[in-house]
Amino acid sequence: MSTNLSGQFADRHLGLSDEAQQEILQSLNHYDLDDFIASVVPQEILDTEDPLKSLPKPCNEIEALDELSDIANKNEIKRSLIGLGYYGTSTPALIQRHVFENPAWYTSYTPYQAEISQGRLEALFNFQTLITELTGLPIANASLLDEGTAAAEAMSLSYAVKKHSEARKFLVDKEVFPQTLQVLQTRAEPLEIIVELVDLQNLELDQTVFGLFIQLPGKNGQIWDPSSVIYQVHNVNALVTVAIDPMAQVLIAPMSDFNVDIAIGSAQRFGVPMGFGGPHAAFFATKEIYKRQVPGRIVGQSLDREGNPALRLALQTREQHIRREKATSNICTSQALLAIISSFYAIYHGPIGLHSVSKKILLLLKELETYLTDFGFIIESFDRFDTIEVYCENAAKIHAKFQERGFNLRVLPFGSCIEDAKGFAITFDELTTQKELYQLCKIFADIQNRIFNPIDKMDLNINNLLSSIPLRKKPWLQQSVFNIYHSETELIRYIQKLASRDFSLVHGMIPLGSCTMKLNATAELLPVSWHKFSLIHPFVPAEQSEGFKLLSEQLEDWLSVLTGFEGVSLQPNAGSQGEFAGLLVIRNWHKSRGEDHRNICLIPKSAHGTNPASAVMAGFKVISVECDQYGNIDFKDLVSKLEKYSSRLGTLMITYPSTHGVFEPNIKEICGQVHLHGGQVYLDGANLNAQVGLCRPGKFGADVCHLNLHKTFCIPHGGGGPGIGPIAVAKHLVEFLPKKANLLDHNDYSVGSIASAPLGSASILPISWMYIRMMGANGLRKASSLAILSANYIACRLEPYFKVLFKAPNGKVAHECILDLREIKSKTGIEVNDVAKRLMDYGFHAPTISWPVAGTLMIEPTESESFEEINRFCNAMISIRSEIKEIEMGEIDLKDNPLSLAPHTMEIVTAETWDRSYSRQKAAFPLKNQLKNKFWPSVSRIDNVFGDRNLVCSCSTVEELSEN
């Protein structure tokens, strides 16, 4: 294994120096890295030759950025007025610089450790408040992946609530966005739900209907009052979901006024660039009665130990792993960073500014409608918000002329080529100006051989333009957070104040097992802000997105090489979506062979909580498989269940290395046994960071694998999203992959659309492209090796103090290790959560707690952490063990000790009175080097139970939290 990486990017990505590597290797009784890796990775799967020779050679940042710039320049930027859920918007520069491009925001983890996550929790709380204020519905979540998947979640909730054996029909507005319809159809099929397009003016309702979906405004731009339709649907005890455009909702009455059950939509036009389709935050709001069925995450307000208000993730977060296959949904379906950007966009503009933007769109569109009528176009008469559809004879000529002048209009019918166009549609957005309107009109005038004469002053009144629907009357967004930060100085200070309350990779190591919090290099993220990637509409003509085509093809090829699979789909925009997509591929493969009955999914008890939830969503019945003392699959139990369910076996879902942190030595045999019984092997790629360059799932027997680009391939977690979860599949499954090039691709075997956009979260693909391009084969191989080396060093160093729960027979772990604290709890009463909170006082984010085994800590250091930081973490854990020893020996009281009362805030430590049995110094500065570099938790321990019993997910006094 070559380690000569001098002068390349890998030198900056990898945290361990050559000297540190040798010191660790000697402590583990190995003479070199190759020898060590050979002792960890089973020989039968370890690549001894170079399977990655087709990858490009490594390069430095400048070379990679130059190469990627050439790719980006193949994209052609035109002004897209296509609409359909994707709009031009202006990201305020201070939000781009201080949030989107700020590592304090984008390198943080999902806020499971709430005491050191108050900043992003408050920003997400602001987002939820924005959505409840917009829609008038009392419960909103902290975002979903995109509008299509939010619609699918609404369908699932409606289906679960109806609970009527005959109710399997979901009615969908014929004006639905086409990509939303396709996602709905994909999600409905495995659950045997019937999706039926309907004309809302001629509804036929009975007890077979469990829900109705309305697009408002529809793809034709029409705004109308849905009250009577909603009344009809409620009469058959079905639920109504409305996909509401947030800019239109600024003007019209809140959805709650119409008695809507669920309101969903995309917050993209609140300051997030189109980015060829994503990532963007979707929103989901509903009535109080459905709060426990709400998908995704909800930020709720609770109290800390001192009685101060504090925020944390509520309800679904803790229920996910408890409920497994009965979970409401996958909680890993969030776009936290994008929701945060949208919340700051709303703060930046405030209610007056948002009203101004929305009003401008409406008025300019009406002005365009007037001119088009004067030019002789026939326009259907109804109220519209941002879109005009026009059917005409010379449509092909119109589209060609507009593209020549730098504009993309939507081709009607949607998806047709220009030559076959029957009409055009124009959608206005925040970027539309009077000047642009006149440009458009001059082009139309030329085409129609008319003279364009602007009207000096057009008498336009919102009440007259939207007379068919009630408008917003009551004041909204009155919380001071949306009204006091309108100067740049104050908003920057607010943003930085929230950032200072969050622990991220900026502050130190985040040693989370199974989550791989590695370096997200600035050079990797820089291209995401390039206009050639960020400003493209996902439905532009193919010739305008050649750069994205080349980028995605290269990335797919590289991922195929790295995994040993034949084909890759980049569409799934989260790991959970990758799981769902991979399982659908397997399901469709069985179906193509006439084996629809193969619906059993075997899942080890150690599996991710998302695995069983995804399996149920894909139409499988989950059967658990036991694990042995080493954390491996209990082979005897597996064989028994394979034989029992042989005729119905669909798949085995397995995480490799296992969630228990070990390489199962008989993985090939396991795959062989599954295939023997007619099943397929789905490999959860959450732990691929231990395999890249060392072994390839496609070569040791797996059929499908999802990859977390937001873990292994350096896309940052963003405080809980964005992510990308592409799937790689064996040759016989390639034709079953999600639709790829555009929404009109037809493939009898494809699983359909998993996400709204054909390339999912396309705008962040450059991050992983940059990582692979700069690292090269040797760098990637060494990254995996050092991740495993660091984990084994931690396990070895901490084993005298904590029991390492699972190891291979030779004593090795994979890239993560699990510390067992259950015996400590039985002796002292100190729980794993106490250790997690105490680590905050030491300046660390806790490892993964109580998963996959209750009462344990799962630690993953990653290859990016230095020897100094790893030792600092080990020193903290050893010091905490000594504190536990004091309790064990009776030297300090169980209820009055640094662990039980952790974490310690500055307010507590600096209070005039101190009534604890240990010193203030021990509370706040347990390690000497903290005196000069201290991260303070902003609240003390939070009462989760109180918060769940008294759920508050938005607040009229949210600004009070920022004063604590």
Side-chain angles (χ1 to χ4, degrees), residues 463-686:
N463 292 313
N464 295 332
L465 298 182
L466 296 177
S467 59
S468 62
I469 190 169
L471 299 183
R472 189 180 290 274
K473 302 294 184 185
K474 298 177 182 177
W476 70 296
L477 277 188
Q478 295 301 292
Q479 299 86 350
S480 63
V481 70
F482 295 105
N483 293 280
I484 65 175
Y485 297 118
H486 293 160
S487 79
E488 181 153 342
T489 302
E490 289 302 312
L491 183 51
I492 286 177
R493 287 171 180 166
Y494 179 59
I495 290 171
Q496 296 301 337
K497 179 167 65 176
L498 295 193
S500 71
R501 296 176 176 179
D502 271 11
F503 190 95
S504 69
L505 287 177
V506 167
H507 303 98
M509 178 180 177
I510 303 180
L512 287 153
S514 198
C515 284
T516 318
M517 297 295 291
K518 62 169 70 179
L519 170 69
N520 312 121
T522 305
E524 293 162 2
L525 277 91
L526 191 63
V528 178
S529 297
W530 292 352
H531 286 175
K532 286 294 181 75
F533 285 135
S534 67
L535 297 186
I536 299 184
H537 194 287
F539 303 144
V540 297
E543 63 270 15
Q544 295 178 27
S545 59
E546 287 295 324
F548 270 115
K549 181 174 185 289
L550 178 57
L551 172 75
S552 62
E553 287 175 349
Q554 287 186 355
L555 192 51
E556 287 170 3
D557 288 344
W558 296 348
L559 294 174
S560 292
V561 170
L562 290 167
T563 59
F565 287 105
E566 186 73 19
V568 171
S569 169
L570 297 170
Q571 190 182 111
N573 48 10
S576 57
Q577 296 300 102
E579 292 176 13
F580 177 61
L583 289 164
L584 284 186
V585 164
I586 291 172
R587 185 177 181 275
N588 279 22
W589 179 74
H590 285 307
K591 188 175 180 180
S592 73
R593 293 158 55 88
E595 296 187 316
D596 303 44
H597 58 279
R598 289 189 172 272
N599 68 340
I600 297 296
C601 179
L602 301 180
I603 302 181
K605 288 187 174 180
S606 64
H608 284 87
T610 57
N611 285 178
S614 294
V616 171
M617 286 169 55
F620 286 95
K621 179 181 178 182
V622 174
I623 302 294
S624 294
V625 178
E626 300 293 332
C627 295
D628 65 20
Q629 62 178 334
Y630 296 108
N632 301 318
I633 289 177
D634 185 323
F635 193 73
K636 183 178 179 181
D637 187 56
L638 173 65
V639 170
S640 171
K641 284 170 179 169
L642 286 172
E643 291 174 351
K644 179 177 180 180
Y645 299 105
S646 182
S647 64
R648 296 172 54 203
L649 178 67
T651 185
L652 166 72
M653 289 189 83
I654 182 173
T655 302
Y656 198 79
S658 79
T659 309
H660 288 149
V662 292
F663 280 95
E664 308 214 16
N666 59 343
I667 182 64
K668 273 193 170 182
E669 187 178 1
I670 288 172
C671 295
Q673 285 290 320
V674 173
H675 293 148
L676 186 65
H677 290 273
Q680 296 282 278
V681 177
Y682 177 97
L683 190 140
D684 185 320

Side-chain angles (χ1 to χ4, degrees), residues 611-861:
N611 285 178
S614 294
V616 171
M617 286 169 55
F620 286 95
K621 179 181 178 182
V622 174
I623 302 294
S624 294
V625 178
E626 300 293 332
C627 295
D628 65 20
Q629 62 178 334
Y630 296 108
N632 301 318
I633 289 177
D634 185 323
F635 193 73
K636 183 178 179 181
D637 187 56
L638 173 65
V639 170
S640 171
K641 284 170 179 169
L642 286 172
E643 291 174 351
K644 179 177 180 180
Y645 299 105
S646 182
S647 64
R648 296 172 54 203
L649 178 67
T651 185
L652 166 72
M653 289 189 83
I654 182 173
T655 302
Y656 198 79
S658 79
T659 309
H660 288 149
V662 292
F663 280 95
E664 308 214 16
N666 59 343
I667 182 64
K668 273 193 170 182
E669 187 178 1
I670 288 172
C671 295
Q673 285 290 320
V674 173
H675 293 148
L676 186 65
H677 290 273
Q680 296 282 278
V681 177
Y682 177 97
L683 190 140
D684 185 320
N687 293 340
L688 201 71
N689 206 48
Q691 296 185 72
V692 175
L694 301 177
C695 57
R696 292 167 294 156
K699 298 303 180 184
F700 58 68
D703 300 289
V704 181
C705 175
H706 91 261
L707 326 172
N708 288 325
L709 298 193
H710 49 289
K711 295 181 182 180
T712 303
F713 295 97
C714 287
I715 293 176
H717 281 240
I724 302 182
I727 55 172
V729 301
K731 186 175 182 179
H732 64 284
L733 297 176
V734 170
E735 61 185 322
F736 300 91
L737 287 171
K739 295 181 179 180
K740 183 179 178 182
N742 61 61
L743 289 169
L744 294 181
D745 278 357
H746 182 70
N747 181 334
D748 290 338
Y749 300 117
S750 169
V751 300
S753 296
I754 300 298
S756 292
L759 262 182
S761 293
S763 70
I764 55 177
L765 291 174
I767 301 170
S768 296
W769 187 97
M770 285 287 293
Y771 173 64
I772 297 172
R773 182 65 189 88
M774 291 189 293
M775 291 290 282
N778 287 341
L780 293 168
R781 189 180 296 114
K782 192 166 185 182
S784 300
S785 300
L786 294 189
I788 296 171
L789 183 68
S790 295
N792 276 272
Y793 174 73
I794 288 177
C796 181
R797 182 139 188 242
L798 295 183
E799 191 164 28
Y801 308 93
F802 300 92
K803 178 183 177 182
V804 177
L805 187 55
F806 298 114
K807 294 183 290 185
N810 66 358
K812 299 294 197 304
V813 298
H815 64 308
E816 56 194 11
C817 61
I818 297 177
L819 304 185
D820 189 354
L821 276 68
R822 289 174 293 183
E823 187 176 344
I824 288 174
K825 178 183 177 181
S826 67
K827 288 182 177 179
T828 66
I830 291 297
E831 302 195 31
V832 65
N833 198 45
D834 297 319
V835 175
K837 304 309 178 188
R838 181 58 172 154
L839 274 168
M840 298 176 187
D841 293 326
Y842 282 81
F844 284 101
H845 192 291
T848 303
I849 67 169
S850 288
W851 184 81
V853 179
T856 64
L857 290 170
M858 183 161 63
I859 302 166
E860 181 179 351

Side-chain angles (χ1 to χ4, degrees), residues 73 127 213 296 348 618 809:
N73 285 332
F127 176 79
F213 180 86
Y348 177 91

Side-chain angles (χ1 to χ4, degrees), residues 193-208:
I193 291 172
I194 301 167
V195 173
E196 184 177 305
L197 278 181
V198 294
D199 182 345
L200 297 180
Q201 305 307 313
N202 299 288
L203 273 183
E204 294 184 7
L205 299 165
D206 55 33
Q207 289 301 319
T208 65

